[in-house]
Amino acid sequence: MVIPVHDVNPARRTPWVTYALLAADLVVFVFLTPGGPGSPAGASHLAQLCDLQAFLERYAVVPQELIHHRMPPLVPTGDTGTGPHGPGCVVGPPGYDKSPELSVLTAMFLHGGWPHLLGNLLFLWIFGNNIEDRMGHVRFLLFYVVCGYAASYGFALLDAGSGEPLIGASGAIAGVLGAYLVLYPTARVWVLVPFLVFLPLRLPAWIVLGLWFVLQALYSAGQGVSDASTVAYAAHVAGFAAGMLLARPLRPGTPPPPEPRGILFGRRARRAR
């Protein structure tokens, strides 16, 4: 997997919505997610785990709740207790009303750890500004949310019986990547390729994002990943496809990215400045 670090495709306007989404993801993870860096210290590992389970049950997407539009009779309460098999997390009737449809929106701002969060922020930072520039602030925000919903519903339809929480902005950001592939396929993207060391290369977006999509499709089909994988690859595929479809009407009027100063390989590449 190549790691994108920068695209050669300047935007004309400040991407305020992209910046706001980046900040919101970071703030929710650091200050609002139980067990995050901003959580109070001193709680036991079990207490933090039970608190996190209750938090995710309330604010994350649960496929079976989304498809059947009902909550389970018992949910984690956030408390700890001791049962026949030792200490554990207490479950009980939910003391709140949860809208499964609204949980799709709240789940877009939840992440399972620093690698999950930073990976999403990196892709949104690199590719989001150009899509926002092309669509405008309001339309981009609506586009982002629609792609997130498409990703969650797409995953839920394929795994309607799952009771595992689904979190992250990956589905919505996958939509941004799909739109970028449609609108700026020839834009150059600087990437790091792991080959003994990280090699910097400048590749067309259609290679970088096309490779990313192919890998997600293969992983969603169970190729190259273990059965214990916790990544919702099918949500990435659904979000990416939604982004491509929604961006296609904008393609005719999209100005091309600037021509690169040099090529990727060969003698002419050494003349690049």
Side-chain angles (χ1 to χ4, degrees):
M1 184 65 186
V2 298
I3 304 172
V5 293
H6 175 65
D7 67 329
V8 187
N9 192 8
R12 299 166 300 172
R13 69 184 94 188
T14 304
W16 294 116
V17 173
T18 298
Y19 291 163
L21 291 171
L22 292 168
D25 287 338
L26 186 61
V27 167
V28 170
F29 177 74
V30 172
F31 296 107
L32 301 181
T33 303
S39 299
S44 67
H45 176 71
L46 179 60
Q48 289 182 347
L49 177 62
C50 295
D51 196 18
L52 179 60
Q53 286 184 356
F55 179 82
L56 293 180
E57 174 59 42
R58 183 165 187 175
Y59 295 108
V61 178
V62 179
Q64 64 183 7
E65 297 175 5
L66 193 61
I67 296 301
H68 302 295
H69 195 72
R70 63 174 181 269
M71 292 184 62
L74 299 176
V75 298
T77 64
D79 298 323
T80 60
T82 303
H85 303 289
C89 299
V90 176
V91 296
Y96 52 85
D97 292 325
K98 177 182 179 181
S99 168
E101 293 78 15
L102 185 59
S103 69
V104 176
L105 182 61
T106 57
M108 292 184 203
F109 298 94
L110 306 179
H111 292 84
W114 280 113
H116 187 200
L117 173 69
L118 295 179
N120 279 342
L121 296 187
L122 175 64
F123 276 83
L124 182 58
W125 172 265
I126 294 173
F127 300 106
N129 63 331
N130 293 108
I131 305 305
E132 182 177 350
D133 185 38
R134 179 67 183 90
M135 294 184 174
H137 305 309
V138 175
R139 282 202 298 176
F140 174 71
L141 180 59
L142 293 175
F143 164 84
Y144 183 90
V145 172
V146 169
C147 289
Y149 269 83
S152 293
Y153 272 94
F155 180 84
L157 288 171
L158 294 174
D159 197 4
S162 174
E164 295 296 321
L166 179 66
I167 60 174
S170 304
I173 296 172
V176 173
L177 304 186
Y180 198 100
L181 180 61
V182 169
L183 299 178
Y184 305 105
T186 60
R188 302 298 181 174
V189 181
W190 281 102
V191 300
L192 297 177
V193 180
F195 183 76
L196 299 180
V197 295
F198 285 100
L199 300 177
L201 291 177
R202 191 177 62 193
L203 301 173
W206 68 268
I207 292 181
V208 178
L209 300 180
L211 175 62
W212 184 89
F213 178 74
V214 169
L215 288 176
Q216 303 308 301
L218 290 174
Y219 295 158
S220 68
Q223 302 297 319
V225 293
S226 68
D227 292 338
S229 175
T230 59
V231 180
Y233 294 109
H236 302 173
V237 173
F240 193 94
M244 291 185 69
L245 290 173
L246 292 172
R248 194 161 188 82
L250 299 176
R251 185 173 181 177
T254 301
E259 288 294 327
R261 298 180 183 176
I263 61 175
L264 300 179
F265 306 104
R267 296 178 180 176
R268 289 179 58 193
R270 291 194 288 270
R271 301 194 195 106
R273 293 292 186 268

